[in-house]
Amino acid sequence: MTRKMNIIVVSVIGTLLAALPLFAGSTAPLPSTQDKCPVCGMFVSKYPDWLAKITYKDGTVAFFDGPKDMFRYLANLKRYAPGKAPTAIESLQVKDYYSLQMIDGRTAYFVLGSDVFGPMGKELIPFANLSAAQEFMKDHQGKKLLRFGQISNQTLNAYE
């Protein structure tokens, strides 16, 4: 192999390795054009920037058009997912507002009451880190910053 060819091969491998973190945050499956939010009935694939999803240990997935509907679903599993228990949930993922990468919903920071609207109007805006959430609150008149365990239907209703 010539020196020029070696440089090209190393460059391509380096580019591929650098791109790996972009794929680390997204896990299959993704919603199809037929997947609907179990809470509101909207087609989820139309709103990829707001995607939220719950993956169960049995491999089934529930997709949502935003974190708000995911929280409504979690608050009433008996209605939206008969036969499923909270202990059957393997992961909860939401899209970080700035990076658009899927992040763990249980560790995310959520801003409520901002001037940014999602597909269903007022929305919880998710962030992977506290500083980004705080910056967003200042820039977009956010009213409250909460973690996963602090969000209930009562909380959501207060910001409708």
Side-chain angles (χ1 to χ4, degrees):
M1 223 186 268
T2 68
R3 178 169 163 74
K4 187 175 183 180
M5 192 62 146
N6 283 340
I7 292 171
I8 291 171
V9 169
V10 168
S11 295
V12 169
I13 291 171
T15 301
L16 291 173
L17 289 174
L20 282 177
L22 297 175
F23 300 104
S26 64
T27 57
L30 293 174
S32 74
T33 57
Q34 301 305 309
D35 284 313
K36 292 182 181 181
C37 173
V39 175
C40 70
M42 290 176 68
F43 288 102
V44 178
S45 66
K46 291 182 179 183
Y47 309 99
D49 293 350
W50 295 97
L51 182 66
K53 73 178 184 177
I54 294 174
T55 304
Y56 289 95
K57 292 175 184 173
D58 67 5
T60 59
V61 178
F63 295 105
F64 306 90
D65 58 323
K68 181 175 64 177
D69 278 352
M70 181 186 76
F71 279 100
R72 294 236 185 257
Y73 175 95
L74 288 169
N76 199 347
L77 274 180
K78 287 182 183 179
R79 175 180 178 190
Y80 297 114
K84 299 278 189 187
T87 56
I89 295 172
E90 182 175 298
S91 68
L92 295 115
Q93 293 182 300
V94 294
K95 283 238 179 143
D96 177 88
Y97 182 76
Y98 288 132
S99 73
L100 296 178
Q101 295 298 307
M102 293 300 284
I103 60 173
D104 185 344
R106 290 182 173 130
T107 61
Y109 296 87
F110 295 91
V111 175
L112 284 78
S114 76
D115 61 4
V116 172
F117 292 85
M120 292 290 294
K122 292 184 180 181
E123 186 59 80
L124 287 89
I125 312 298
F127 297 90
N129 64 65
L130 179 60
S131 61
Q134 290 170 329
E135 178 183 329
F136 177 88
M137 280 188 73
K138 289 178 193 169
D139 293 345
H140 296 281
Q141 295 80 48
K143 304 289 187 255
K144 200 161 195 165
L145 178 61
L146 298 174
R147 300 303 299 269
F148 177 82
Q150 299 172 304
I151 300 171
S152 66
N153 267 339
Q154 192 174 34
T155 308
L156 297 175
N157 292 339
Y159 290 93
E160 284 295 325

